[in-house]
Amino acid sequence: MTFPIPPAKAIAAQQAALERLYRAHVGPGDRYALADFPDHPNVGDSAIWLGEIALLRRITGRDPDHVATWDGFDAAAFHADSNGGVLFLHGGGNLGDIWPHHQAFRQRLVETVRDRRIVQLPQSIHFRDPAAVEHFAAAVAAHPDFHLCVRDARSRAFAERHLRCPVTLAPDSAFALGALARAAPDTGLLLLLRTDAERAGGDVPLPDGLACDWLADDPLPQAMGDRAGHFEALAEARVRRGVALLSRGRRIVTDRLHGHILATLLGIPHVALDNDHGKIAAYADAWTRDVSIARFADPAGAAAALAALG
C-alpha cells in the first residue's frame, strides 16, 4: 500500500536521482557540449533544457563548450569549440519516429561523433516503424561509448530489448528546476490540452474551464552575446510564459507531461490525462504516481478525479 507524498518530497527525490545520473558522467571542471536545443514554443522542452544546464553548470562549474539546434549543427564548429568532453543530447520525448527531425539529428551524431562519450539525457521512447528501430539500433551498437537514459520502465524495457548500450532509468531533467513560485490564480479550472501530433483521440467532454495550449511564443529576447546564453534566455522566456499560464488555474487538467511536472513544481492541484501513446502514465508509474496534489485519469474520469482532489 502506498500513501500520498507531498510535492516537496517528490521533487527532492527526483533531484537526487538526477544528481546521481549527471555525476556519473561529469565532475568539477569537466568540459561538455549539449546538443538539440529546442528552439520551438513547447514550454516543456525549454524546462528540460534549463534543468539540464542548471545541473551541468552546478556539477562542472562551467558552461557548455558548444550548443546547437538540430537544424543548426555545424560539425566543424562543434569540433573547433569542443575537442574533448562528453556530448550530451537533450532529453524529452522525441526518441523514436513521432518527431523525425530530432531523431534523424540524434542518429547522425551517434554515427559521426565517435571520439567521445555520448549521453542521451532522459527520454521517453516510442517507435511506430520497426525499420526505424533497426536503423537506430545499428548506429548505437557501432558507437564505442553511447549511454542512454530513459524516463520510464516501458522505455527501459524497450531499450534493453533492442539497443546494445548501457541504459539508466532517471527522472525528467525539468525537476532540476526545483519548486517554483506562482502568481495568484484568476480562474477556477485551467485545461492545458495538446493540439499537436501526440494528442489522444476521442471526443469525450471534459469539465468546463479555460482551455488552452502553450504552442505560441510571446515576443522573445533578441540574439545577444554567445549562442549558449541566447538559448538559455529563450528557454527562460518560454518557461516564464508556461508558469504564468499554469498559475492562472486554481486547479488544472492537462494531457501534457510538463503540464503535470510544472504543476507539481508550482504546487497546483491537477489531473493528468494521457497522451496518445501513454507517455504520462508511464512517467507517473516510475516517479509521480503518489504525489498528493496529482490525480491520473482518462478523459471520461476527469471530473471524478477533480472531485477527488478536494
Side-chain angles (χ1 to χ4, degrees), residues 182-250:
R182 64 169 301 191
D186 64 11
T187 190
L189 180 63
L190 183 100
L191 295 93
L192 178 71
L193 303 173
R194 303 193 76 110
T195 56
D196 62 11
E198 294 187 38
R199 182 178 182 178
D203 297 315
V204 177
L206 294 173
D208 290 336
L210 174 63
C212 57
D213 200 359
W214 57 19
L215 297 183
D217 272 327
D218 289 337
L220 293 170
Q222 297 301 305
M224 294 179 63
D226 64 9
R227 182 186 299 171
H230 178 56
F231 284 176
E232 192 168 357
L234 293 178
E236 287 172 344
R238 287 165 172 148
V239 171
R240 280 196 302 271
R241 171 170 57 83
V243 166
L245 179 62
L246 292 174
S247 294
R248 296 187 62 184
R250 291 182 179 84

Side-chain angles (χ1 to χ4, degrees), residues 240-302:
R240 280 196 302 271
R241 171 170 57 83
V243 166
L245 179 62
L246 292 174
S247 294
R248 296 187 62 184
R250 291 182 179 84
R251 295 184 297 172
I252 294 167
V253 172
T254 185
D255 60 358
R256 284 196 170 276
L257 175 59
H258 286 87
H260 161 54
I261 289 174
L262 288 178
T264 300
L265 297 180
L266 289 162
I268 302 173
H270 61 282
V271 172
L273 313 176
D274 228 337
N275 73 330
D276 74 326
H277 57 272
K279 180 170 69 178
I280 297 176
Y283 190 86
D285 287 343
W287 302 104
T288 57
R289 180 66 64 181
D290 299 322
V291 173
S292 61
I293 59 170
R295 298 292 184 274
F296 300 88
D298 59 25

Side-chain angles (χ1 to χ4, degrees), residues 20-213:
R20 290 191 297 271
L21 168 68
Y22 280 64
R23 288 190 182 278
H25 300 288
V26 287
D30 285 350
R31 302 178 64 178
Y32 65 94
L34 180 59
D36 202 13
F37 171 73
D39 194 12
H40 53 74
N42 186 344
V43 172
D45 284 307
S46 286
I48 296 170
W49 182 270
L50 292 181
E52 292 164 345
I53 287 291
L55 272 167
L56 289 166
R57 183 179 287 142
R58 183 169 71 248
I59 292 168
T60 67
R62 59 187 301 154
D63 289 339
D65 290 334
H66 189 85
V67 295
T69 59
W70 70 266
D71 57 348
F73 181 77
D74 180 280
F78 165 66
H79 286 288
D81 292 343
S82 176
N83 60 10
V86 177
L87 171 57
F88 290 98
L89 305 182
H90 174 60
N94 58 33
L95 204 165
D97 50 16
I98 298 177
W99 304 102
H101 298 305
H102 297 282
Q103 180 63 17
F105 177 53
R106 176 182 298 110
Q107 180 138 341
R108 176 158 63 101
L109 291 180
V110 173
E111 290 171 343
T112 60
V113 180
R114 307 293 298 278
D115 63 342
R116 68 196 68 197
R117 175 171 295 187
I118 296 179
V119 176
Q120 172 60 71
L121 291 169
Q123 277 275 352
S124 299
I125 302 176
H126 188 71
F127 283 93
R128 292 167 173 159
D129 180 3
V133 179
E134 294 175 7
H135 192 200
F136 184 57
V140 168
H143 194 277
D145 197 10
F146 177 79
H147 293 250
L148 174 62
C149 311
V150 295
R151 301 188 296 193
D152 59 78
R154 184 178 64 186
S155 294
R156 180 174 61 183
F158 180 95
E160 291 174 343
R161 186 165 63 250
H162 293 284
L163 305 177
R164 289 170 49 195
C165 64
V167 180
T168 304
L169 178 67
D172 186 90
S173 293
F175 271 97
L177 298 177
L180 301 172
R182 64 169 301 191
D186 64 11
T187 190
L189 180 63
L190 183 100
L191 295 93
L192 178 71
L193 303 173
R194 303 193 76 110
T195 56
D196 62 11
E198 294 187 38
R199 182 178 182 178
D203 297 315
V204 177
L206 294 173
D208 290 336
L210 174 63
C212 57
D213 200 359

